[in-house]
């Protein structure tokens, strides 16, 4: 195994932050942030392998689990929670779990991430099985909650992935498809909610969006299966229906959309029923 260097804990390149003017702080944070997408780009081959594995398993009836602590856990929950409204997927197919449970979403839960057993116990409550894929998210790559869960997953024949921001980390060792986005030291030393968190968010966007496209939840570049949960989305969907059916009547398109509940169903129904 290559040497493990905890880059996320290395000293910031910037000193005496408290002496900086606000504009200088903001410019330096922005300068650091510009390194993030470049680091993500280097990891695209790793991301592609994980996306392919998740897609294959979801098409075969499996689920996607995200597992993390602190910021990493919250980002996984955020990504999972946005899949049903955005792509019309049933709840429970993409699931985010965080060390410490729901309480930890809003505030830190002491020592929650330190258990090697709790992550697997949390997964077991969802009857995890070999059809599923579990992605552990840990900026440091050393979170026991995540490492222990991935290890047990592999022992039980469950495909694992990971997202970390240190090279050759322990969490990568327990992942079939490790993703390492090395963004370098943080602006505030060790504050991995910053560049590391941004990198994780970008990777999660890439994973879930790519999987949803691959399993048929997007047509052209449109969210044709999105839930019509507010007036903004109804309006967006109505315009999609008008565009796809080359329909000029807004109210007719809106009525059709609301009748069938999604852009895809409305367009398909109109296409089948209209006179040839």
């Amino acid at each position: 195994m290559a040497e493990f260097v905890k880059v996320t804990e290395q000293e910031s390149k910037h000193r005496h932050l408290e002496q900086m003017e606000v504009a200088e702080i903001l410019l330096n944070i922005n300068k650091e942030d510009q390194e993030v997408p470049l680091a993500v780009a280097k990891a695209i081959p790793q991301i592609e392998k994980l996306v392919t594995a998740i897609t294959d398993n979801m098409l075969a009836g499996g689920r996607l689990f995200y597992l993390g602590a602190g910021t990493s856990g919250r980002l996984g929950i955020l990504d999972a929670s946005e899949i049903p409204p955005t792509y019309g997927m049933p709840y429970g197919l993409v699931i985010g779990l965080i060390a410490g449970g729901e309480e930890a979403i809003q505030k830190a839960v002491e020592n929650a991430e330190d258990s090697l057993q709790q992550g697997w116990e949390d997964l077991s409550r969802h009857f995890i099985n070999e059809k599923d894929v579990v992605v552990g998210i840990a900026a440091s790559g050393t979170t026991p909650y995540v490492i222990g869960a991935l290890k047990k997953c592999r022992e039980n024949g469950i495909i694992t992935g990971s997202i970390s921001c240190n090279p050759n980390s322990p969490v990568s060792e327990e992942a079939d498809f490790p993703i390492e986005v090395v963004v370098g030291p943080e602006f505030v030393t060790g504050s991995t909610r910053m560049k590391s968190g941004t990198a994780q968010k970008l990777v999660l966007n890439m994973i879930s969006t790519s999987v949803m496209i691959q399993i048929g939840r997007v047509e052209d570049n449109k969210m044709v299966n999105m839930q019509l949960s507010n007036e903004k989305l109804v309006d967006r969907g109505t315009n999609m229906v008008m565009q796809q059916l080359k329909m000029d009547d807004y109210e007719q398109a809106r009525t059709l959309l609301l009748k069938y509940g999604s852009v895809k169903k409305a367009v398909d129904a109109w296409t089948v029923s209209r006179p040839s």
Side-chain angles (χ1 to χ4, degrees):
M1 177 180 174
E3 182 184 2
F4 174 49
V5 178
K6 215 169 187 180
V7 179
T8 54
E9 295 295 328
Q10 289 180 344
E11 188 82 8
S12 171
K13 292 179 256 182
H14 307 269
R15 299 294 308 278
H16 306 298
L17 308 186
E18 76 282 1
Q19 297 177 17
M20 292 182 181
E21 298 292 334
V22 172
E24 187 180 4
I25 293 171
L26 299 177
L27 287 168
N28 283 321
I29 290 174
N30 181 250
K31 182 179 178 180
E32 291 294 325
D33 285 346
Q34 290 176 41
E35 298 179 7
V36 175
L38 300 177
V40 172
K42 294 178 182 177
I44 285 177
Q46 297 175 335
I47 301 169
E48 180 186 7
K49 292 176 183 176
L50 179 56
V51 166
T52 300
I54 294 169
T55 299
D56 289 346
N57 276 40
M58 291 199 79
L59 286 172
R63 298 166 295 173
L64 169 60
F65 286 84
Y66 295 131
L67 191 81
T71 297
S72 297
R74 295 182 190 103
L75 288 170
I77 289 172
L78 173 63
D79 195 77
S81 68
E82 292 177 340
I83 298 307
T86 305
Y87 298 108
M89 293 286 285
Y91 286 94
L93 290 182
V94 182
I95 299 168
L97 300 175
I98 184 170
E102 290 189 9
E103 182 183 357
I105 296 173
Q106 295 191 44
K107 65 179 184 179
V109 176
E110 188 175 357
N111 300 324
E113 68 178 63
D114 295 333
S115 170
L116 284 167
Q117 293 78 39
Q118 190 61 51
W120 176 250
E121 291 177 12
D122 290 348
L123 288 168
S124 297
R125 292 191 185 97
H126 293 269
F127 304 101
I128 189 83
N129 63 74
E130 67 279 357
K131 289 184 179 180
D132 302 324
V133 178
V134 177
V135 178
I137 312 169
S140 67
T142 60
T143 308
Y145 176 81
V146 177
I147 293 170
L150 295 190
K151 183 178 179 62
K152 287 291 290 185
C153 284
R154 296 182 84 182
E155 290 173 1
N156 286 272
I158 298 164
I159 292 175
T160 57
S162 66
I163 305 170
S164 64
C165 296
N166 284 320
N168 308 307
S169 69
V171 78
S172 294
E173 287 292 307
E174 297 299 341
D176 299 308
F177 300 99
I179 297 168
E180 296 179 336
V181 186
V182 184
V183 296
E186 298 286 358
F187 177 70
V188 176
T189 299
S191 180
T192 53
R193 73 183 188 87
M194 299 186 76
K195 288 196 299 183
S196 296
T198 300
Q200 291 172 327
K201 173 59 175 166
L202 291 177
V203 172
L204 289 167
N205 284 349
M206 295 169 80
I207 290 171
S208 57
T209 302
S210 299
V211 169
M212 291 300 112
I213 292 170
Q214 291 295 302
I215 67 175
R217 307 306 293 183
V218 174
E219 291 183 2
D220 189 16
N221 56 10
K222 303 293 193 301
M223 297 179 290
V224 295
N225 292 288
M226 66 182 180
Q227 293 179 356
L228 306 175
S229 55
N230 58 51
E231 199 55 45
K232 177 190 74 174
L233 296 179
V234 171
D235 179 66
R236 180 186 295 168
T238 300
N239 287 315
M240 288 186 198
V241 170
M242 292 176 68
Q243 181 182 28
Q244 291 199 37
L245 296 180
K246 296 180 171 53
M247 186 180 286
D248 296 325
D249 189 331
Y250 181 92
E251 288 303 323
Q252 182 185 17
R254 188 177 189 277
T255 299
L256 185 67
L257 174 68
L258 293 176
K259 178 180 179 181
Y260 290 100
S262 76
V263 174
K264 180 174 176 56
K265 290 178 181 177
V267 170
D268 289 348
W270 179 263
T271 301
V272 169
S273 64
R274 68 180 177 175
S276 56

